């Protein structure tokens, strides 16, 4: 009897140790703080970066916590770009992006993203998508826009500040399918959502009416979102969960929605994601952002205002 009990105990202990080993060797996905994401957004969360999950063995890359598993490169500064400055109560680390040498042409700016010249297959959720949303936390940390390092004129500044977006299916690293950025509109910089439904065709821009420096003040975290409905042509901007007043900048029908629908984005895989500036493949510099970013979300659906507001409140509560 004693021998049998001891044998059973040994078997149970072995099973426990096996389970413990399995947990220890499980993919890091098992440790993801899923409470940081609104449950109703998870089915559409193609890519999500909190900058607290470096790729094992390569800290200059960040693991995607979304369903596409599209890891990104931290370009220019590598692991040093992770900063101990979480945007909200559930975060410890954010990403620092910045212009490194404004006085010389080069490829040393700090930015992030991924690029594939024939498309990035893992981003297929944005192939022929009816809509998409880009949102996350942003903090301006330096002079924006940056000086144009591609020209010799000392007073020449870029006409835009890149935040975060998904590239088009024919992009050279700059053209996008959907993007949050600050760009010059009628001679004045504005916070915008910029979308392109058809590869190689015209883009549409929805610009916030309020001064961009009020919307993204230096040294303060804010939650921004841009939604793109490729079927109806509707676009929207949000700040801290509240919809912003704004206006479309391109007249006519730049998304070619006059024909019968439903209308979708081009049936091509995006060539990547860009964060904090253009050309994530690091072949050039354009529109750098001197800022920090946290909890960046790329969804293959045009999310409504209620969900944007709920996501902001969830993250801001610090209780997840």
């Amino acid at each position: 009897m004693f021998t049998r009990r001891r044998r059973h105990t040994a078997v149970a202990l072995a099973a426990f140790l096996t389970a413990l080993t399995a947990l220890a060797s499980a993919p890091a996905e098992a440790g993801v703080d899923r409470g940081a994401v609104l449950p109703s957004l998870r089915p559409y969360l193609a890519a999500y970066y909190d900058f607290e999950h470096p790729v094992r063995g390569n800290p200059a890359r960040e693991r995607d916590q979304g369903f596409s598993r599209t890891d990104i490169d931290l370009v220019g500064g590598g692991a040093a770009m992770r900063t101990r400055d979480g945007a909200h109560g559930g975060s410890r680390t954010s990403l620092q992006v910045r212009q490194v040498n404004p006085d010389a042409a080069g490829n040393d700016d700090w930015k992030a993203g991924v690029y594939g010249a024939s498309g990035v297959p893992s981003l297929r959720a944005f192939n022929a998508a009816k809509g998409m949303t880009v949102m996350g936390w942003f903090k301006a940390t330096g002079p924006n826009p940056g000086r144009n390092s591609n020209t010799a004129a000392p007073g020449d500044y870029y006409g835009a500040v890149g935040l975060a977006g998904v590239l088009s299916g024919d992009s050279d690293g700059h053209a996008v399918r959907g993007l949050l950025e600050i760009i010059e509109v009628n001679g004045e910089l504005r916070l915008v959502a910029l979308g392109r439904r058809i590869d190689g065709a015209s883009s549409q821009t929805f610009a916030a009416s309020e001064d961009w420096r009020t919307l993204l003040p230096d040294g303060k975290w804010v939650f921004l979102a841009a939604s793109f409905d490729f079927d109806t042509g509707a676009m929207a901007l949000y700040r801290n969960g509240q919809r912003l007043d704004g206006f479309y900048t391109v007249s006519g029908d730049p998304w070619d929605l006059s024909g019968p629908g439903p209308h979708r984005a081009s049936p091509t895989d995006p060539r990547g994601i860009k964060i904090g500036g253009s050309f994530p493949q690091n072949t050039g510099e354009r529109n750098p952002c001197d800022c920090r970013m946290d909890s960046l979300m790329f969804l293959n659906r045009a999310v409504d205002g209620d969900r944007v507001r709920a996501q902001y409140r969830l993250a801001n509560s610090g209780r997840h």
Side-chain angles (χ1 to χ4, degrees):
M1 176 71 89
F2 178 74
T3 302
R4 186 178 300 168
R5 275 186 192 164
R6 186 166 57 187
R7 187 181 298 118
H8 289 171
T9 301
V11 170
L13 180 60
F16 171 76
L17 291 175
T18 299
L20 192 63
T21 301
L23 281 174
S25 61
E29 167 65 19
V32 173
D33 180 9
R34 287 313 221 174
V37 179
L38 193 71
S40 64
L41 294 182
R42 291 175 192 166
Y44 316 108
L45 190 59
Y48 175 46
Y49 308 102
D50 60 8
F51 305 105
E52 297 184 9
H53 292 85
V55 169
R56 186 173 298 175
N58 189 357
R61 287 175 59 80
E62 177 70 14
R63 283 196 297 110
D64 177 14
Q65 307 304 302
F67 66 73
S68 76
R69 300 294 186 267
T70 306
D71 298 341
I72 58 173
D73 298 310
L74 307 188
V75 181
M81 296 166 65
R82 292 190 183 87
T83 305
R84 286 286 180 180
D85 181 18
H88 51 84
S91 174
R92 297 166 298 173
T93 305
S94 57
L95 178 75
Q96 177 73 57
V97 294
R98 64 185 178 90
Q99 186 176 41
V100 173
N101 187 359
D103 297 322
N107 296 321
D108 51 8
D109 285 354
W110 286 16
K111 53 193 174 185
V114 63
Y115 183 81
S118 57
V120 177
S122 60
L123 293 175
R124 191 147 296 164
F126 298 102
N127 182 317
K130 290 182 67 175
M132 60 177 290
T133 301
V134 178
M135 58 181 161
W137 293 83
F138 302 87
K139 179 201 277 190
T141 56
N144 289 300
R147 202 188 74 72
N148 191 340
S149 60
N150 296 305
T151 70
D156 186 9
Y157 288 80
Y158 288 107
V161 180
L163 297 178
V166 176
L167 299 178
S168 61
D170 61 350
S171 179
D172 62 352
H174 179 67
V176 293
R177 191 158 287 172
L179 174 71
L180 253 174
E181 75 170 339
I182 297 159
I183 194 170
E184 195 171 288
V185 176
N186 299 326
E188 184 177 356
L189 287 172
R190 292 188 182 275
L191 175 68
V192 308
L194 188 152
R196 176 178 287 102
R197 186 177 80 85
I198 303 171
D199 291 349
S202 298
S203 63
Q204 176 61 283
T205 301
F206 182 82
S209 300
E210 196 169 352
D211 191 313
W212 76 271
R213 290 162 295 192
T214 302
L215 298 174
L216 188 61
D218 287 346
K220 184 175 181 179
W221 283 109
V222 295
F223 183 71
L224 301 176
S227 67
F228 310 84
D229 189 325
F230 294 127
D231 188 28
T232 67
M235 301 165 66
L237 281 170
Y238 302 86
R239 180 187 187 271
N240 290 347
Q242 300 300 312
R243 186 164 183 157
L244 296 174
D245 291 332
F247 56 94
Y248 295 95
T249 68
V250 181
S251 59
D253 184 18
W255 284 4
D256 192 19
L257 301 175
S258 59
H263 303 284
R264 297 175 178 269
S266 288
T268 55
D269 295 339
R271 287 193 176 178
I273 288 173
K274 67 176 184 177
I275 298 168
S278 292
F279 308 111
Q281 71 271 43
N282 206 27
T283 58
E285 297 177 343
R286 196 179 305 176
N287 304 337
C289 182
D290 197 320
C291 51
R292 291 176 183 170
M293 305 181 182
D294 198 0
S295 302
L296 298 182
M297 309 173 78
F298 301 85
L299 303 105
N300 66 331
R301 176 170 178 161
V303 174
D304 61 33
D306 288 342
R307 292 184 184 182
V308 172
R309 185 162 46 253
Q311 175 59 39
Y312 166 70
R313 288 175 176 170
L314 174 66
N316 206 39
S317 69
R319 290 194 295 271
H320 51 271

